[in-house]
Amino acid sequence: MKISVIGAGYVGLTTAACLAEIGHHVRCADNDEGKLNLLRSGKMPFFEPHLDEIVHRNIIAGRLQFEIPENAVVGAEAIFICVGTPPLENGEADLCAVANVARTIAQRATGNCLVIEKSTVPVQTAQKLKRQLQQYAGKGLQCTLASNPEFLREGSAIQDSFHPERIVVGVETEEAEARLREIYAPILEQTFKCPVHTSCTHAQKPAWIVTDTNSSELIKHASNSFLAMKISFINMVADLCEAVGADVTKVALGMGMDPRIGSAFLNPGIGFGGFCFPKDVQAFVRIATKAGCDFSLLKEVENINKRRIEHFVEKVRQELWVLRDRKIALLGLAFKPNTDDVRFAPALELIRVLVREGAVVSAYDPQATEKAKAVLPGIRYCSSPYEAAEEAEAIMIATEWEEFRDLDWDHMKQIIARPLVVDGRNMFKPAEMTARGIHYISIGKLPAFSVDDGLSNSSTSIASPGELQAVLK
Ligand code: UDX
């Protein structure tokens, strides 16, 4: 099918590349000529595992082109709107880019064309889009509207696109549903050869969920807000664990075994970030408020998340007392591993707080350094975790990159000023770190102490707060 994808960001470029890979002829459009040229030359505007290979292959096969929106929509049988919907000051989504695309489609698209809204938008946007398209449509254009939210995660966007658990389509006509089925047929039936097969964890046929456009739009916001709620919930449980002497990892394990709860998204840490959760939770609260529903539950999800950084910094303050002139190594800048995205990354907020208190921060990230530098100059960015850790009085872990699991702690101990690791992502077993001679502080657990401290460092035996205080004194 001839498909246009408008917007060459994370969602648009991934969608375009994957649709081309399953056999469609795709024109991917963006207003940014620089980005189009970069893509035409085979370079990626951001890091996403496997995306570059798929883009290259499909450019060469002649199934993927990059154009400006005015040209890309001409003659398309289906047009995916994948432009950004960033947050406005008041938390609502800014729909200017979506509205501009609608005008371009109305003026330039031709024939019988299905317009599919994939960007995350407030409920009832499809209805508004439909009115706008009807208002501005040129002669000979017959447009139908559909909503088809994306659920792809940065870092595993390709895998999520080829092997989704569900495909949600909000449609008003059977014809629209049929066209969407045709587009997704290879994925629905899993009949294509998966280009990233080795790293795929599941390949079952996805559920096909057909709804009206309003429900489809709500599914996206409700899903992301629910996941954010799970994270804030477990973060509060982690605080409680610290206060009473319990282990959040075990609590989460016990909770997650109940299939009604599920074990995913129960990892405590320094809070959720990225371009989706913070903005989607905020936008959902606004949507509810405008509709006359006070979703105060979600306001608390946001508040808990905002407090995470302060809670984390307090852990290092407890150890170093005054942070002024203290050298701190920060490992991880991206909002999560396997991406170079630093938008709303907790690590950047953490750096701001540390710098405000006078700490001297050296940071390392395997992918996100350049993007972090652009928004947060003025600290030292390093090319290895060891360079960042030289003479540091504390190592703080903000992103759970796989490569941090293999750090050479014996070498670290020789170069750092003090063997203190404050881990915001619970990457290590406290007892193992203690055995390596590292004073290890994580989230939702009491620190493990060496046998010499008089407390067991076994992961099942946990000191009571009273015992702990005695040892700390
Ligand atoms: C999210 C949704 O998962 C995806 O379905 C949607 O389409 C886009 O938004 P993404 O923003 O890529 O995807 O990140 P995700 O993997 O969901 O993580 C979001 C944040 O939550 C990260 O900062 C991550 O570190 C944090 N997180 C996640 C936790 O703190 N604990 C967890 O248990 C899980």
Side-chain angles (χ1 to χ4, degrees), residues 233-234 237 250-259 261-263 266:
F233 187 91
I234 202 66
V237 173
K250 288 173 183 158
V251 176
L253 181 75
M255 287 169 62
M257 296 304 273
D258 182 336
I261 297 174
S263 57
L266 286 182

Side-chain angles (χ1 to χ4, degrees), residues 150-154 231 265 267 272-273 276-277 335-336:
E150 56 78 21
F151 300 104
L152 50 86
R153 295 161 298 172
E154 289 180 25
I231 300 169
F265 279 68
N267 299 318
F272 56 79
C276 291
F277 282 5
F335 82 96
K336 64 172 193 177

Side-chain angles (χ1 to χ4, degrees), residues 81 83 94-109 115 117 121 124-139 141-145 172:
I81 302 180
V83 291
D94 182 349
L95 297 177
C96 284
V98 175
N100 285 341
V101 172
R103 277 191 183 223
T104 306
I105 294 172
Q107 288 161 0
R108 302 278 301 176
V115 177
E117 156 203 282
V121 289
Q124 296 179 331
T125 300
Q127 291 174 1
K128 289 175 187 146
L129 265 173
K130 185 174 151 191
R131 279 203 293 278
Q132 181 153 9
L133 283 167
Q134 283 166 349
Q135 200 177 339
Y136 294 102
K139 274 197 193 124
L141 173 65
Q142 291 164 282
C143 259
T144 316
L145 228 115
E172 290 179 340

Side-chain angles (χ1 to χ4, degrees), residues 244-295:
V244 301
D247 182 337
V248 70
T249 306
K250 288 173 183 158
V251 176
L253 181 75
M255 287 169 62
M257 296 304 273
D258 182 336
R260 293 170 303 174
I261 297 174
S263 57
F265 279 68
L266 286 182
N267 299 318
I270 55 172
F272 56 79
F275 200 55
C276 291
F277 282 5
K279 91 172 162 68
D280 288 356
V281 172
Q282 248 191 355
F284 205 34
V285 170
R286 289 290 301 179
I287 291 164
T289 308
K290 274 175 119 178
C293 304
D294 181 8
F295 215 147

